[in-house]
PDB file of all heavy atoms in Angstrom:
ATOM      1  N   VAL W 900      -5.730 -47.640  -5.960  1.00 84.00           N
ATOM      2  CA  VAL W 900      -7.000 -47.575  -5.212  1.00 84.00           C
ATOM      3  C   VAL W 900      -7.596 -46.164  -5.480  1.00 84.00           C
ATOM      4  O   VAL W 900      -8.756 -45.915  -5.114  1.00 84.00           O
ATOM      5  CB  VAL W 900      -6.875 -47.909  -3.688  1.00 84.00           C
ATOM      6  CG1 VAL W 900      -6.642 -49.230  -3.519  1.00 84.00           C
ATOM      7  CG2 VAL W 900      -5.919 -46.912  -3.037  1.00 84.00           C
ATOM      8  N   ALA W 950      23.753 -32.354  -8.191  1.00 82.00           N
ATOM      9  CA  ALA W 950      24.272 -31.351  -7.214  1.00 82.00           C
ATOM     10  C   ALA W 950      23.152 -30.505  -6.779  1.00 82.00           C
ATOM     11  O   ALA W 950      23.057 -30.177  -5.537  1.00 82.00           O
ATOM     12  CB  ALA W 950      25.431 -30.507  -7.786  1.00 82.00           C
ATOM     13  N   ARG W1091      32.701 -40.843   9.360  1.00 90.00           N
ATOM     14  CA  ARG W1091      33.002 -40.191   8.118  1.00 90.00           C
ATOM     15  C   ARG W1091      34.431 -40.666   7.522  1.00 90.00           C
ATOM     16  O   ARG W1091      34.508 -40.843   6.374  1.00 90.00           O
ATOM     17  CB  ARG W1091      32.959 -38.677   8.293  1.00 90.00           C
ATOM     18  CG  ARG W1091      33.275 -37.764   7.095  1.00 90.00           C
ATOM     19  CD  ARG W1091      33.260 -36.375   7.489  1.00 90.00           C
ATOM     20  NE  ARG W1091      34.396 -35.902   8.168  1.00 90.00           N
ATOM     21  CZ  ARG W1091      35.536 -35.669   7.588  1.00 90.00           C
ATOM     22  NH1 ARG W1091      35.726 -35.676   6.314  1.00 90.00           N
ATOM     23  NH2 ARG W1091      36.436 -35.150   8.300  1.00 90.00           N
TER      24      ARG W1091
END
Side-chain angles (χ1 to χ4, degrees):
V900 295
R1091 186 177 71 85

